[in-house]
Amino acid sequence: MKGITFPAWQGSRYVTLAELVVCLGDFALDLTWRVECEEIVDTRCVEMQKRSAEGDLDTLTLLSLTTPGFQMIDAQARGFAGEAAVVVLTEVDSSSWEISAVDPAVLRPFRGRYRGVRAL
């Protein structure tokens, strides 16, 4: 997988998991997700982890659980196509995002949208 990282705070605005999933565009539509939250900051973290364990977390459900303003701390969302992880979104200490993808083309929209993007 190829990856990038950038600050989770873009000025005074926090970049949410929902925003990243939307930035993935059509690529994310048919994925299923497994979410792990090291720090539980909201009951939605528990719900995401529960649905992940059951294999029942599709993209639209993930988006419904990560409404605007929902901030994660030390969490990872892995997007799967079948049994293979094809994208990984990792929130590091509420300060940066790391995004890795099997297809490097998936990373392009992030490069033009966020400040401070650099290769992992």
Side-chain angles (χ1 to χ4, degrees):
M1 281 193 185
K2 299 286 185 183
I4 58 171
T5 185
F6 58 89
W9 289 92
Q10 299 285 301
S12 62
R13 185 179 70 78
Y14 177 77
V15 177
T16 65
L17 177 61
E19 186 175 332
L20 298 182
V21 172
V22 168
C23 197
L24 290 169
D26 292 346
F27 176 78
L29 287 178
D30 294 324
L31 300 180
T32 56
W33 295 87
R34 294 186 191 140
V35 178
E36 297 172 5
C37 302
E38 191 170 308
E39 189 169 325
I40 304 298
V41 294
D42 189 292
T43 57
R44 291 175 285 183
C45 292
V46 174
E47 182 67 18
M48 282 186 277
Q49 289 185 140
K50 177 180 171 267
R51 288 181 182 232
S52 292
E54 296 168 352
D56 190 28
L57 188 58
D58 60 32
T59 298
L60 293 178
T61 303
L62 176 64
L63 287 172
S64 75
L65 292 169
T66 56
T67 54
F70 175 67
Q71 183 176 342
M72 301 177 85
I73 301 173
D74 293 328
Q76 185 175 78
R78 292 176 289 147
F80 285 79
E83 295 298 316
V86 294
V87 66
V88 179
L89 310 172
T90 305
E91 201 282 350
V92 181
D93 195 33
S94 197
S95 63
S96 64
W97 281 103
E98 295 178 356
I99 303 171
S100 300
V102 170
D103 180 356
V106 170
L107 303 174
R108 274 190 220 121
F110 298 97
R111 293 182 189 281
R113 184 174 185 141
Y114 299 106
R115 289 181 301 104
V117 174
R118 60 182 174 81
L120 282 174

